[in-house]
Amino acid sequence: MKGKDLLSVADLGGEDIRLLISDAIDMKAQGWLSILSGKTLAIMFEKPSLRTRVSFELAMRQLGGQTVYLSPAEVGLGERESVPDVARVLSRYVDAITARTFSHQTLESLASYASVPVINALSDLEHPCQALADLLTIHEKKNGLEGLTLAFVGDGNNVAHSLMLAASLVGMNFRIASPADYRVQDRILNLAQGYALASGVEIVCTEEPQVAVSGADVVYTDVWTSMGQEAEVDERRRVFSRYQVNNELLSLAGEDAILMHPLPAHRGEEVSEGILDSPQSVVFDQAENRLHIQKALLAMMLGGLEIPLPGY
Ligand code: CP
Ligand code: NVA
């Protein structure tokens, strides 16, 4: 990964993901290190964020590095200044850029003009750092990943795309229940199906939440209306109303199933009131694990490791 971009989970292999998880577990136990001393990360966001911004800022600080945050209003990507020029200017100042953009093409353009690595901090197509933190969380809760079944209920969105790719790369079965017009994109599905075939697991796409959740080890959902889709909120509330994860649906999952959500959540919409606060919910572990997996990722991408960690 050193020197490369992370725009999609598909930029990683199954081995890379396993290594990141093992390093993140070590880093979680070790706390603060100085392996990125002298390194700087630009955090450039076109959309709001709590978890991603805080976890990237703290990940750099806890590894001895620095960050520069550029807010949506300051960036003016493609408006105040062209994306290629922003990429080339930032590359003269910092060692890596993490960007949250509306369009995935903006990220691709940033990456093609930047001479430093670019990390996807969420685009309309993918949210790879979230999927990595999610696999770390599942690994901790289930003592491994291979052979487990993850059921995603809801929109075939950025979070679903990255999870589907990540699950199939590490040998987890992936099921997704979405309304007909809100399925995952065919191009990402085809890519994931190739990984699933190689890993010997299955991907199931259905319109029925009950089919997806039946016997699953992990039940996962996300908002019905993602950032940038606010104009569609009424239509989406109508179309997704039977895709709510509630006690009745969750009771169809495996006995020790865990419930996951990337947050922020809309309680009363994609999840019933209270269910994210139940013992099955691991949503705050997921949020915490953004920090640990991103520390492992930054160490891997910026190549600053001087203290050999177990697993390296
Ligand atoms: N899950 C996640 O990416 O949260 P933020 O939008 O708050 O960064
Ligand atoms: N799908 C959501 C995820 C937020 C972390 C969005 O893009 O808004």
Side-chain angles (χ1 to χ4, degrees):
M1 275 310 285
K2 187 175 176 187
K4 292 194 188 149
D5 303 311
L6 179 69
L7 304 190
S8 164
V9 168
D11 292 329
L12 299 167
E15 262 320 296
D16 296 321
I17 297 176
R18 277 185 274 272
L19 185 58
L20 281 168
I21 290 173
S22 126
D23 289 350
I25 291 168
D26 295 336
M27 286 186 168
K28 195 166 175 172
Q30 297 197 30
W32 293 59
L33 299 166
S34 58
I35 54 181
L36 292 186
S37 168
K39 303 279 184 187
T40 310
L41 174 74
I43 302 176
M44 182 165 58
F45 281 12
E46 286 187 320
K47 306 180 192 179
S49 168
L50 173 66
R51 282 146 288 273
T52 309
R53 178 185 170 180
V54 174
S55 56
F56 265 113
E57 293 226 13
L58 292 180
M60 280 302 281
R61 274 187 227 172
Q62 291 187 14
L63 294 178
Q66 307 278 334
T67 55
V68 179
Y69 174 68
L70 295 152
S71 69
E74 283 163 308
V75 181
L77 259 182
E79 288 171 15
R80 182 171 185 270
E81 192 156 8
S82 74
V83 174
D85 282 0
V86 170
R88 287 178 287 194
V89 169
L90 280 179
S91 300
R92 298 293 180 102
Y93 296 132
V94 299
D95 299 288
I97 301 167
T98 185
R100 170 168 286 197
T101 59
F102 284 101
S103 160
H104 193 74
Q105 283 164 350
T106 305
L107 268 184
E108 286 176 340
S109 175
L110 263 178
S112 74
Y113 284 93
S115 56
V116 296
V118 174
I119 302 171
N120 180 354
L122 181 147
S123 69
D124 59 350
L125 191 68
E126 279 206 49
H127 197 2
C129 298
Q130 181 68 53
L132 294 172
D134 296 338
L135 291 195
L136 168 59
T137 309
I138 297 167
H139 186 280
E140 287 177 337
K141 301 293 173 191
K142 298 283 179 190
N143 282 321
L145 297 170
E146 270 181 50
L148 296 174
T149 296
L150 187 154
F152 188 101
V153 179
D155 192 16
N157 64 12
N158 44 10
V159 170
H161 283 153
S162 290
L163 266 178
M164 179 169 66
L165 291 169
S168 53
L169 275 168
V170 299
M172 289 174 66
N173 298 293
F174 184 84
R175 301 188 201 142
I176 180 162
S178 320
D181 293 336
Y182 298 86
R183 292 168 189 261
V184 287
Q185 291 185 15
D186 285 344
R187 189 176 61 79
I188 310 276
L189 178 60
N190 290 341
L191 198 55
Q193 268 165 340
Y195 299 148
L197 195 66
S199 309
V201 291
E202 203 182 17
I203 296 178
V204 174
C205 299
T206 171
E207 285 179 40
E208 302 309 322
Q210 292 77 6
V211 171
V213 166
S214 175
D217 302 291
V218 180
V219 177
Y220 199 117
T221 191
D222 185 19
V223 290
W224 294 336
T225 303
S226 286
M227 290 179 277
Q229 299 171 333
E230 290 77 6
E232 302 168 25
V233 68
D234 291 338
E235 173 67 0
R236 284 173 173 268
R237 276 195 189 123
R238 191 184 61 73
V239 174
F240 282 96
S241 59
R242 74 183 185 91
Y243 290 83
Q244 185 186 70
V245 176
N246 49 35
N247 284 323
E248 193 186 337
L249 186 65
L250 200 53
S251 72
L252 303 177
E255 203 181 329
D256 300 320
I258 55 172
L259 172 61
M260 303 184 78
H261 190 305
L263 302 178
H266 295 153
R267 289 168 164 85
E269 290 193 17
E270 76 275 5
V271 280
S272 56
E273 292 289 344
I275 204 162
L276 290 186
D277 311 303
S278 72
Q280 277 173 285
S281 163
V282 298
V283 296
F284 301 109
D285 298 296
Q286 283 177 264
E288 179 187 337
N289 279 335
R290 293 292 304 276
L291 171 66
H292 307 300
I293 203 79
Q294 285 159 204
K295 283 169 78 173
L297 183 69
L298 289 164
M300 193 184 267
M301 293 183 80
L302 296 179
L305 273 179
E306 63 194 23
I307 302 165
L309 294 167
Y312 265 87

